[in-house]
Amino acid sequence: MGTNRENGSLYTTFDNKVATVEFGHPAGNSFVAELLGRLTKEINSLSENKDITVIVLRSEGNRAFCGGASFDELTAIQNLEEGTLFFSGFAHVINAMRTCKKVIIGRVQGKTVGGGVGLAAACDYVFASIDASVRLSELTIGIAPLVIAPAVKRKMGTAALSEMSLSPTEWKNAYWAKEKGLFAKVFDSKKEMDKELEYFSQKLSTYNPEALQKWKQVLWEDADHWDGLLTDRAAISGTLVLSDFTKKALAKFKE
């Protein structure tokens, strides 16, 4: 059973040298600003925790992995400052994952939309179930996946990013996402996925933590400019969310 807290939930558990971070929200595990801030802070904290080597990122329940940005908070944005601040939340999470000294393994058990795709793309390795379809739906409400695009492009390439973003109503299945590089492994059942995930994460956690950290830095070495890039993209998104098109589109979704 998932959380019923309006601001969502975030819990971290430890098993040997593996920390599992679980986020949740009653609206399809979507993200409100407060939850984004808490996740960023937690990842930064775990990055400095010398007792762990690996982080597993997962969400609550057996249905959606992540519904992206909170529609309620999107519709409540009244000015550029509020819009920029909200989208900066995703920028901060992705940059925290990028600079984290620990390898981050994603567990994607179900559908994921928009910012959730960016979250999966920012993981270093992703296990997914056959139910883990993905979609970038931003254009349908008058914005674009600007903040998460660098992470998605890095994992999947420009062609896949273009295909997903320009067909915003179309779900891409888990095997398509694996073929394009978003997922490392796809499993027919969540039970099988979790069994393999536990084995993989525990095995990975036995490796030299310094070697893992240095190797992760190499894997992300072309992204050093993302602090500024994602902040700039958040400002553009903050402008777009104030457009008449977006306001009307969001109002229709809430009807």
Side-chain angles (χ1 to χ4, degrees):
M1 184 176 179
T3 184
N4 58 4
R5 298 178 180 178
E6 291 184 2
N7 288 325
S9 64
L10 189 74
Y11 299 100
T12 301
T13 56
F14 299 89
D15 183 10
N16 296 319
K17 295 182 179 180
V18 178
T20 298
V21 179
E22 180 175 284
F23 65 89
H25 191 276
N29 290 330
S30 58
F31 274 98
V32 295
E34 180 179 319
L35 186 56
L36 288 167
R38 290 170 62 194
L39 180 57
T40 299
K41 184 178 180 180
E42 185 66 5
I43 292 171
N44 286 334
S45 176
L46 292 172
S47 178
E48 302 301 326
N49 188 330
K50 296 181 180 180
D51 293 328
I52 66 164
T53 308
V54 173
I55 298 171
V56 173
L57 182 64
R58 58 176 292 165
S59 63
E60 287 185 348
N62 292 314
R63 303 187 71 179
F65 169 70
C66 180
S70 164
F71 266 62
D72 287 340
E73 291 205 354
L74 284 176
T75 56
I77 293 171
Q78 296 296 318
N79 54 57
L80 179 58
E81 182 180 1
E82 291 178 357
T84 301
L85 184 64
F86 179 78
F87 288 104
S88 292
F90 281 100
H92 295 328
V93 168
I94 290 173
N95 276 320
M97 294 174 71
R98 172 179 65 85
T99 59
C100 183
K101 296 175 183 178
K102 318 299 180 182
V103 173
I104 300 176
I105 303 172
R107 175 193 181 272
V108 181
Q109 81 279 15
K111 289 183 175 181
T112 187
V113 183
V117 178
L119 204 65
C123 291
D124 301 300
Y125 199 99
V126 178
F127 284 72
S129 82
I130 196 172
D131 301 315
S133 300
V134 296
R135 188 175 74 174
L136 292 180
S137 59
E138 286 85 348
L139 286 175
T140 63
I141 58 170
I143 59 175
L146 295 167
V147 174
I148 65 169
V152 178
K153 180 180 177 181
R154 170 183 170 272
K155 267 293 181 69
M156 306 180 74
T158 301
L161 173 60
S162 177
E163 183 176 346
M164 272 202 297
S165 60
L166 295 179
S167 55
T169 63
E170 182 180 331
W171 288 100
K172 302 293 188 180
N173 67 41
Y175 286 106
W176 182 91
K178 180 180 183 297
E179 178 186 341
K180 303 301 182 183
L182 181 64
F183 301 151
K185 294 183 177 180
V186 175
F187 298 88
D188 290 335
S189 72
K190 296 178 180 65
K191 182 178 180 180
E192 181 185 6
M193 174 181 68
D194 287 337
K195 179 180 178 181
E196 292 298 321
L197 172 58
E198 181 179 8
Y199 174 81
F200 182 88
S201 59
Q202 291 293 339
K203 182 68 175 177
L204 191 64
S205 73
T206 66
Y207 300 154
N208 184 348
E210 185 178 359
L212 287 172
Q213 180 185 346
K214 296 299 183 183
W215 182 237
K216 177 167 177 172
Q217 289 174 345
V218 170
L219 294 177
W220 284 92
E221 64 185 357
D222 295 328
D224 290 341
H225 62 297
W226 281 20
D227 281 328
L229 175 63
L230 300 193
T231 299
D232 291 343
R233 295 283 184 86
I236 298 171
S237 297
T239 300
L240 290 174
V241 79
L242 296 172
S243 69
D244 289 339
F245 186 105
T246 300
K247 290 295 185 183
K248 292 176 182 177
L250 288 172
K252 287 182 180 179
F253 273 95
K254 291 202 71 175
E255 289 177 355

